[in-house]
Amino acid sequence: MVVDKKQLEQLGAFEISQKMLALARKNEKSNIFLNAGRGNPNWINTLARLAFARLVQFGVQESRRTINNGEMAGYVETTGIRERLEAFLDPDDNREDKFLEDVLTYIKDDLHLDQDDVVAEMTNGIIGNNYPVPSRVLRNSEVILAL
C-alpha cells in the first residue's frame, strides 16, 4: 500500500492511525501484527496476567487473616507481609511465583523501597482495598512510575 504525502495531510489523526495500522498489518516481512494502541491490544503478556492472579490469591488469603467471616474478609496487615508473600510463593515450581520473587528482589536491591510497604500497597491495590485519599496514584507506585 502506497500512501501519498498530500493525501495524508488531508487526514485527521485517527484516519492516519488507521492507515498506519493497515500498513503494519501488511508488513513486508509478514511479521505477526501486535496492536498495542488505544487500549485495545490484540495480545496479552501471559506471565504478568498469571502473576497478577497469584497476587490476587495471596491478597484474599492475607485479608482472611484479619477478618474471616464467610465471604467477608478484612484488610491486610503491613508488618511482615513480604515474608508471608515469600512463604506463599513457590518459585522453584511456578514461573509466575519466580516473576513475583524477582519483583521483590528489584524492590529491595534496585529501588531501595520498604518491601513491606510495597507488598502491602500492591496487595491492597490488587484486591481493591484502601483507595488513596485524596484520589491519586499510590505512594510507592508513584516512585516506580517516576523512574
Side-chain angles (χ1 to χ4, degrees), residues 34-82:
L34 296 178
N35 179 4
R38 295 184 52 203
N40 297 311
N42 66 347
W43 60 275
I44 62 167
N45 180 316
T46 57
L47 178 60
R49 299 291 173 134
L50 292 170
F52 185 95
R54 287 291 285 159
L55 201 51
V56 169
Q57 288 178 312
F58 173 73
V60 170
Q61 177 179 302
E62 275 296 296
S63 294
R64 288 180 174 150
R65 293 179 77 245
T66 56
I67 297 174
N68 189 1
N69 187 358
E71 303 304 318
M72 302 260 312
Y75 285 98
V76 302
E77 293 177 344
T78 299
T79 303
I81 195 168
R82 179 196 48 84

Side-chain angles (χ1 to χ4, degrees), residues 92-106:
D92 294 330
D93 291 330
N94 186 304
R95 189 168 164 238
E96 298 81 25
D97 288 7
K98 174 68 173 121
F99 175 80
L100 290 170
E101 184 180 71
D102 291 345
V103 168
L104 294 176
T105 300
Y106 179 73

Side-chain angles (χ1 to χ4, degrees), residues 1-138:
M1 171 191 290
V2 176
V3 180
D4 180 32
K5 182 180 174 185
K6 295 266 187 217
Q7 288 177 321
L8 282 177
E9 290 174 352
Q10 303 302 312
L11 299 177
F14 291 113
E15 293 167 312
I16 291 172
S17 177
Q18 289 302 316
K19 293 278 187 195
M20 294 299 117
L21 289 173
L23 286 171
R25 282 188 184 94
K26 297 177 183 172
N27 66 78
E28 292 177 9
K29 294 181 181 180
S30 298
N31 291 330
I32 295 172
F33 173 70
L34 296 178
N35 179 4
R38 295 184 52 203
N40 297 311
N42 66 347
W43 60 275
I44 62 167
N45 180 316
T46 57
L47 178 60
R49 299 291 173 134
L50 292 170
F52 185 95
R54 287 291 285 159
L55 201 51
V56 169
Q57 288 178 312
F58 173 73
V60 170
Q61 177 179 302
E62 275 296 296
S63 294
R64 288 180 174 150
R65 293 179 77 245
T66 56
I67 297 174
N68 189 1
N69 187 358
E71 303 304 318
M72 302 260 312
Y75 285 98
V76 302
E77 293 177 344
T78 299
T79 303
I81 195 168
R82 179 196 48 84
E83 290 90 359
R84 293 190 299 278
L85 176 58
E86 286 179 340
F88 172 83
L89 299 175
D90 186 7
D92 294 330
D93 291 330
N94 186 304
R95 189 168 164 238
E96 298 81 25
D97 288 7
K98 174 68 173 121
F99 175 80
L100 290 170
E101 184 180 71
D102 291 345
V103 168
L104 294 176
T105 300
Y106 179 73
I107 289 166
K108 180 182 79 174
D109 294 345
D110 294 293
L111 301 181
H112 309 289
L113 296 172
D114 183 282
Q115 292 180 339
D116 279 342
D117 283 346
V118 175
V119 172
E121 183 176 288
M122 288 189 318
T123 305
N124 276 316
I126 211 155
I127 60 176
N129 233 357
N130 199 20
Y131 295 104
V133 177
S135 295
R136 56 169 293 141
V137 68
L138 299 170

